[in-house]
Amino acid sequence: AQKVTQAQTEISVVEKEDVTLDCVYETRDTTYYLFWYKQPPSGELVFLIRRNSFDEQNEISGRYSWNFQKSTSSFNFTITASQVVDSAVYFCALSEAYSGAGSYQLTFGKGTKLSVIP
Amino acid sequence: DAGITQSPRHKVTETGTPVTLRCHQTENHRYMYWYRQDPGHGLRLIHYSYGVKDTDKGEVSDGYSVSRSKTEDFLLTLESATSSQTSVYFCAISESGQGMYNEQFFGPGTRLTVL
């Protein structure tokens, strides 16, 4: 069964600090997809990134970067020079590729609440 | 932003009453999903649909049913609401189930309280 672990329940940083959110996953499949979502205090879920298991290139988007390492089954998310607007709950999620009941399911981690203090 | 709306946005009901939540999309995406979000559990899949009249169960489907008679609408029904179904319910859509374009986009959520 697939599983996503976000060991950090809550993190507080001072504005402009860098912060890394950890995500460790378990899957039997060789083909799978990893995602990060942001849930700000307003409650909506915002898609940030999707990565497939064949693409281990790190990705950078502005102040956001993602480090995918299959060897350690990790897909970590770093925010550089954090801002108050980054305060949110961040979810990592996994989708396996096998077909069958529930095969389109996203398995979410329990989320990491990030608080950026001015 | 993906065109996804949920109605109602907030509902308070009593134990034993039926409740129907509606998800409406304007993106013509094939796949639609219902999740519930509870503290300490993240989001968990209740049911999903891979086409009109095609649905399947997710991880926490007991006590829920769904229907999809049109591409744009996906209904979630609690036949007899219980206090354990107090939660925030999210609808999501995706263009594909697997492979390319399988990222899911979420609606604004419905906060349901069962007294």
Side-chain angles (χ1 to χ4, degrees), chain A residues 33 37 39 50 96 103 110, chain B residues 37 40 48 98-99 102 104:
Chain A
Y33 302 87
Y37 285 85
Q39 186 174 41
R50 181 192 71 152
E96 290 180 332
S103 62
K110 295 183 179 180
Chain B
Q37 183 178 22
Y48 68 97
Q98 291 295 341
N102 66 339
Q104 295 181 20

Side-chain angles (χ1 to χ4, degrees), chain A residues 31-47:
Chain A
T31 302
Y32 51 89
Y33 302 87
L34 295 162
F35 305 81
W36 276 95
Y37 285 85
K38 174 182 179 180
Q39 186 174 41
S42 53
E44 73 271 24
L45 281 151
V46 179
F47 166 73

Side-chain angles (χ1 to χ4, degrees), chain A residues 43-113:
Chain A
E44 73 271 24
L45 281 151
V46 179
F47 166 73
L48 295 178
I49 190 172
R50 181 192 71 152
R51 174 68 68 208
N52 73 56
S53 54
F54 297 112
D55 183 1
E56 286 193 75
Q57 279 193 327
N58 291 332
E59 178 145 347
I60 298 174
S61 176
R63 296 184 297 106
Y64 294 173
S65 63
W66 290 269
N67 184 333
F68 176 31
Q69 292 196 335
K70 289 178 74 171
S71 60
T72 55
S73 297
S74 64
F75 186 41
N76 296 336
F77 174 29
T78 297
I79 302 174
T80 303
S82 60
Q83 300 177 1
V84 173
V85 293
D86 296 326
S87 296
V89 180
Y90 291 87
F91 291 96
C92 181
L94 165 70
S95 176
E96 290 180 332
Y98 82 95
S99 61
S103 62
Y104 307 122
Q105 175 174 333
L106 273 183
T107 296
F108 283 83
K110 295 183 179 180
T112 297
K113 182 177 181 181

Side-chain angles (χ1 to χ4, degrees), chain A residues 12-42:
Chain A
S12 288
V13 298
V14 176
E15 200 170 21
K16 298 184 183 177
E17 286 184 347
D18 299 347
V19 58
T20 295
L21 310 182
D22 297 333
C23 173
V24 174
Y25 61 91
E26 296 176 26
T27 177
R28 299 168 299 181
D29 277 11
T30 56
T31 302
Y32 51 89
Y33 302 87
L34 295 162
F35 305 81
W36 276 95
Y37 285 85
K38 174 182 179 180
Q39 186 174 41
S42 53

